[in-house]
Amino acid sequence: MSKRIQAKHKLDRRMGQNIWGRPKSPVNRREYGPGQHGQRRKGKMSDFGTQLRAKQKLKGYYANITEKQFRRYYAEAIRQKGDSGENLIGLLERRLDAIVYRAKFVATPFAARQFVNHGHVKVNGRRVNIPSYLVKAGDVIEVKEKSKQLEVVVVASQLAERDVPEYIEVDHSKMTARFTRVPTLSEVPYPVQMEPNLVIEFYSR
């Protein structure tokens, strides 16, 4: 577990931002990058560098999705009608582990992936243990009865540092959540600015 925490802290330091808005992020204390050269003045970043950073930040936010999987989201986003950047965000927010995190059933996206993997979650009454499962509008997500008293669940539901977004209706007394609609970028409560348009540009090169 310490390895995962360290990896999360590394990503925050590398991006120079508190990506998940966590109180314990090292960026809250040191805004410069990691390593012995972290405090050197940074030159102007190239367009490629800016796009790459936008991709790493968005990919990292969702518990470090694999490159292969993230490319599939890009391919689906440009295939759909409308703004490709908005489509990409919509697909990422439809992930089951993302909704478990947004609903405050667990404290972090990394914990959400593990929670789903271990079979603690049902979708429309059926157990689903695939974190990347895409939820549809109207689907009901619930924590299994035996899992409702787990410490990670009880602690997460009482977290004051973030709110449940409007596109998810949650009943913490029953540990159920309903995904009402696919959100737009402006509705997603990212602690830092995400730039999906730059991600689309990165893959479109």
Side-chain angles (χ1 to χ4, degrees), residues 43-61:
K44 189 176 185 298
M45 194 176 287
S46 66
D47 288 345
F48 173 81
T50 305
Q51 293 163 359
L52 176 63
R53 176 156 291 209
K55 185 205 78 163
Q56 289 174 326
K57 189 164 59 171
L58 189 61
K59 189 160 77 90
Y61 180 86

Side-chain angles (χ1 to χ4, degrees), residues 1 9 26 51 59-61 68-69 76 82 84 94 99-100 114 118-119 128 132 168 171 180 191 194 201:
M1 189 62 75
H9 286 173
Q51 293 163 359
K59 189 160 77 90
Y61 180 86
K68 186 178 178 181
Q69 197 168 47
E76 179 62 21
S84 298
R94 283 176 57 199
I99 293 169
V100 166
Q114 193 174 44
H118 289 180
V128 178
S132 61
I168 300 174
D171 184 343
T180 59
M194 294 295 181
E201 288 174 15

Side-chain angles (χ1 to χ4, degrees), residues 111-175:
R113 178 185 291 177
Q114 193 174 44
F115 195 69
V116 175
N117 255 331
H118 289 180
H120 295 298
V121 177
K122 290 181 179 179
V123 179
N124 298 330
R126 294 179 62 183
R127 187 171 75 94
V128 178
N129 61 356
I130 303 167
S132 61
Y133 176 89
L134 291 182
V135 174
K136 298 187 291 291
D139 282 355
V140 175
I141 298 89
E142 62 180 310
V143 176
K144 280 175 61 180
E145 193 64 41
K146 288 183 179 178
S147 308
K148 289 178 182 177
Q149 299 307 315
L150 290 173
E151 186 180 357
V152 289
V153 177
V154 175
V155 171
S157 64
Q158 296 170 353
L159 283 175
E161 63 195 52
R162 60 188 174 91
D163 297 320
V164 176
E166 290 185 3
Y167 50 91
I168 300 174
E169 295 174 351
V170 179
D171 184 343
H172 280 125
S173 64
K174 296 178 181 177
M175 281 296 163

